[in-house]
PDB file of all heavy atoms in Angstrom:
ATOM      1  N   MET A  46      23.872   7.044  19.178  1.00 98.00           N
ATOM      2  CA  MET A  46      22.628   6.467  18.662  1.00 98.00           C
ATOM      3  C   MET A  46      22.391   6.894  17.216  1.00 98.00           C
ATOM      4  O   MET A  46      22.052   6.069  16.370  1.00 98.00           O
ATOM      5  CB  MET A  46      21.438   6.889  19.525  1.00 98.00           C
ATOM      6  CG  MET A  46      20.113   6.339  19.011  1.00 98.00           C
ATOM      7  SD  MET A  46      18.649   7.199  19.606  1.00 98.00           S
ATOM      8  CE  MET A  46      18.753   8.752  18.749  1.00 98.00           C
ATOM      9  N   THR A  68      25.166 -13.914  -3.989  1.00 96.00           N
ATOM     10  CA  THR A  68      24.182 -14.701  -4.733  1.00 96.00           C
ATOM     11  C   THR A  68      24.667 -16.132  -4.913  1.00 96.00           C
ATOM     12  O   THR A  68      25.854 -16.432  -4.752  1.00 96.00           O
ATOM     13  CB  THR A  68      23.908 -14.084  -6.119  1.00 96.00           C
ATOM     14  OG1 THR A  68      25.128 -14.052  -6.856  1.00 96.00           O
ATOM     15  CG2 THR A  68      23.311 -12.694  -6.009  1.00 96.00           C
ATOM     16  N   ASP A 100       7.007  -0.229  13.806  1.00 97.00           N
ATOM     17  CA  ASP A 100       6.135  -1.370  13.486  1.00 97.00           C
ATOM     18  C   ASP A 100       6.070  -1.576  11.982  1.00 97.00           C
ATOM     19  O   ASP A 100       5.022  -1.899  11.423  1.00 97.00           O
ATOM     20  CB  ASP A 100       4.714  -1.188  14.035  1.00 97.00           C
ATOM     21  CG  ASP A 100       4.615  -1.434  15.517  1.00 97.00           C
ATOM     22  OD1 ASP A 100       5.533  -2.060  16.073  1.00 97.00           O
ATOM     23  OD2 ASP A 100       3.619  -0.989  16.124  1.00 97.00           O
ATOM     24  N   GLY A 115      21.302 -14.510  -1.149  1.00 95.00           N
ATOM     25  CA  GLY A 115      21.240 -15.151   0.151  1.00 95.00           C
ATOM     26  C   GLY A 115      20.083 -14.551   0.933  1.00 95.00           C
ATOM     27  O   GLY A 115      19.883 -13.330   0.902  1.00 95.00           O
ATOM     28  N   LEU A 116      19.298 -15.382   1.597  1.00 96.00           N
ATOM     29  CA  LEU A 116      18.086 -14.882   2.265  1.00 96.00           C
ATOM     30  C   LEU A 116      18.382 -13.805   3.300  1.00 96.00           C
ATOM     31  O   LEU A 116      17.661 -12.812   3.390  1.00 96.00           O
ATOM     32  CB  LEU A 116      17.317 -16.042   2.899  1.00 96.00           C
ATOM     33  CG  LEU A 116      16.691 -17.021   1.904  1.00 96.00           C
ATOM     34  CD1 LEU A 116      16.004 -18.159   2.649  1.00 96.00           C
ATOM     35  CD2 LEU A 116      15.701 -16.311   0.994  1.00 96.00           C
ATOM     36  N   ILE A 119      18.627 -10.240   1.931  1.00 98.00           N
ATOM     37  CA  ILE A 119      17.404  -9.482   1.666  1.00 98.00           C
ATOM     38  C   ILE A 119      17.035  -8.651   2.894  1.00 98.00           C
ATOM     39  O   ILE A 119      16.772  -7.450   2.800  1.00 98.00           O
ATOM     40  CB  ILE A 119      16.252 -10.422   1.261  1.00 98.00           C
ATOM     41  CG1 ILE A 119      16.598 -11.137  -0.044  1.00 98.00           C
ATOM     42  CG2 ILE A 119      14.936  -9.649   1.136  1.00 98.00           C
ATOM     43  CD1 ILE A 119      15.651 -12.266  -0.408  1.00 98.00           C
ATOM     44  N   LYS A 128      17.997   2.704   7.414  1.00 98.00           N
ATOM     45  CA  LYS A 128      18.850   3.473   8.330  1.00 98.00           C
ATOM     46  C   LYS A 128      19.303   4.781   7.680  1.00 98.00           C
ATOM     47  O   LYS A 128      20.486   5.085   7.579  1.00 98.00           O
ATOM     48  CB  LYS A 128      20.048   2.631   8.770  1.00 98.00           C
ATOM     49  CG  LYS A 128      19.665   1.521   9.715  1.00 98.00           C
ATOM     50  CD  LYS A 128      20.874   0.742  10.180  1.00 98.00           C
ATOM     51  CE  LYS A 128      20.460  -0.267  11.235  1.00 98.00           C
ATOM     52  NZ  LYS A 128      21.616  -1.028  11.701  1.00 98.00           N
ATOM     53  N   GLU A 177       0.559   2.047   4.092  1.00 98.00           N
ATOM     54  CA  GLU A 177       0.995   0.939   3.243  1.00 98.00           C
ATOM     55  C   GLU A 177       1.449   1.507   1.907  1.00 98.00           C
ATOM     56  O   GLU A 177       0.745   2.316   1.305  1.00 98.00           O
ATOM     57  CB  GLU A 177      -0.166  -0.035   3.041  1.00 98.00           C
ATOM     58  CG  GLU A 177       0.215  -1.307   2.350  1.00 98.00           C
ATOM     59  CD  GLU A 177      -0.948  -2.291   2.318  1.00 98.00           C
ATOM     60  OE1 GLU A 177      -1.293  -2.857   3.370  1.00 98.00           O
ATOM     61  OE2 GLU A 177      -1.512  -2.484   1.218  1.00 98.00           O
ATOM     62  N   LEU A 191       1.803 -11.878  -9.399  1.00 96.00           N
ATOM     63  CA  LEU A 191       3.059 -11.642  -8.683  1.00 96.00           C
ATOM     64  C   LEU A 191       2.881 -10.642  -7.556  1.00 96.00           C
ATOM     65  O   LEU A 191       3.349 -10.859  -6.444  1.00 96.00           O
ATOM     66  CB  LEU A 191       4.157 -11.150  -9.647  1.00 96.00           C
ATOM     67  CG  LEU A 191       4.847 -12.189 -10.490  1.00 96.00           C
ATOM     68  CD1 LEU A 191       5.824 -11.514 -11.466  1.00 96.00           C
ATOM     69  CD2 LEU A 191       5.568 -13.219  -9.649  1.00 96.00           C
TER      70      LEU A 191
END
Side-chain angles (χ1 to χ4, degrees):
M46 179 199 71
T68 60
D100 283 342
L116 292 178
I119 297 170
K128 289 182 174 180
E177 188 174 288
L191 281 175

